[in-house]
Amino acid sequence: MTDPSFEAFRKQLGEAAGHKDRAALARLVAPSFFWLAAQGDKADRKKPAIDNLAAAIELDAVDGGGWELLASAAGDATLQPLPQRKGVQCAPAAPVFDEKAFEQLLRSSRTEVFEWAYPARGSVAVRASAAADAPVTETLTGILVRVLPEPDQPPPGGAPAAGAPGSADGPGGPGGGAMPPLRVVTPAGKTGFVAADAVLPLIFEQLCYVKDAGGWKIAGYLGGE
């Protein structure tokens, strides 16, 4: 998205998230905010839009996860249309790949969708061990990669522990951030480690936007039970 007004909106969103300014955030939420979850639209039309957004992303959680989600969203310029709602676009945009080939891959590898992820951006360094200074053994560029569970632990019941887009060599790199690095199987069939924020799961939740006469607004949220 190259719309300058969307870039300005993302800056406002980032500032509101950074200061945890609920009033500023409320001004960025569309009155018709929707929350499409597994059970349908969970938005309570009797409540203000900001309250529905807060409930959807757990904005009031003690760990501040809701604000972190918004900060991450502010840094993501990718968008994809939401077909069932005219003019609405959601982020992050889903990766484009051959779905039939992926279905065959799942069958042949006997894996589930939640075990796979894709590079968050550009290239991702795969290191020989979890150490931040471990040798780079391979580089991932725009290709699906399988995320392995930790040794002696069952696979996760949802998406792999992948975070917001980031650099494999930044603070979230192997051994360098709060989240431990992920063990992956590369396309070459070798195991290695990548930063937890360097890859994104194929199953994820999305924040949606719409542009009206007053500019861009948060239109809704896709995710939840």
Side-chain angles (χ1 to χ4, degrees), residues 168-207:
D169 295 315
M179 295 180 65
L182 303 177
R183 191 162 62 100
V184 301
V185 178
T186 71
K190 299 179 180 179
T191 58
F193 293 82
V194 300
D197 61 356
V199 294
L200 296 172
L202 291 180
I203 299 177
F204 52 83
E205 300 179 343
Q206 294 175 298
L207 199 62

Side-chain angles (χ1 to χ4, degrees), residues 6-58:
F6 184 60
E7 294 181 11
F9 164 77
R10 290 195 297 115
K11 182 178 179 180
Q12 289 180 297
L13 179 59
E15 291 175 348
H19 293 92
K20 296 184 178 180
D21 189 335
R22 193 182 182 107
L25 177 61
R27 293 192 289 271
L28 301 178
V29 184
S32 58
F33 178 87
F34 59 83
W35 175 10
L36 297 183
Q39 304 300 322
D41 192 346
K42 295 183 65 176
D44 186 341
R45 298 305 167 195
K46 297 179 181 179
K47 295 183 178 180
I50 181 61
D51 290 349
N52 283 311
L53 171 62
I57 65 174
E58 299 183 349

Side-chain angles (χ1 to χ4, degrees), residues 6 36-37 46 50 63 68 79 82 92 104 128 140 143 160 176-177 186 219:
F6 184 60
L36 297 183
K46 297 179 181 179
I50 181 61
D63 64 2
E68 291 178 5
L79 289 173
L82 184 62
Q104 293 177 350
L140 303 177
I143 192 168
T186 71

Side-chain angles (χ1 to χ4, degrees), residues 36-189:
L36 297 183
Q39 304 300 322
D41 192 346
K42 295 183 65 176
D44 186 341
R45 298 305 167 195
K46 297 179 181 179
K47 295 183 178 180
I50 181 61
D51 290 349
N52 283 311
L53 171 62
I57 65 174
E58 299 183 349
L59 192 64
D60 299 321
V62 177
D63 64 2
W67 291 107
E68 291 178 5
L69 182 151
L70 292 173
S72 177
D76 190 345
T78 65
L79 289 173
Q80 70 177 100
L82 184 62
Q84 60 267 45
R85 292 182 180 260
K86 185 178 180 180
V88 174
Q89 303 207 51
C90 304
V96 178
F97 56 88
D98 188 327
E99 294 186 7
K100 290 186 177 180
F102 183 55
E103 290 176 0
Q104 293 177 350
L105 174 62
L106 292 179
R107 288 195 295 269
S108 63
S109 61
R110 297 182 179 181
T111 56
E112 300 292 340
V113 176
F114 62 75
E115 296 179 56
W116 294 83
Y118 65 98
R121 63 177 64 176
S123 60
V124 173
V126 180
R127 298 185 181 276
S129 73
D133 58 353
V136 174
T137 58
E138 196 169 336
T139 300
L140 303 177
T141 55
I143 192 168
L144 299 181
V145 61
R146 184 183 175 191
V147 179
L148 298 174
E150 290 299 313
D152 302 321
Q153 290 186 8
S167 168
D169 295 315
M179 295 180 65
L182 303 177
R183 191 162 62 100
V184 301
V185 178
T186 71

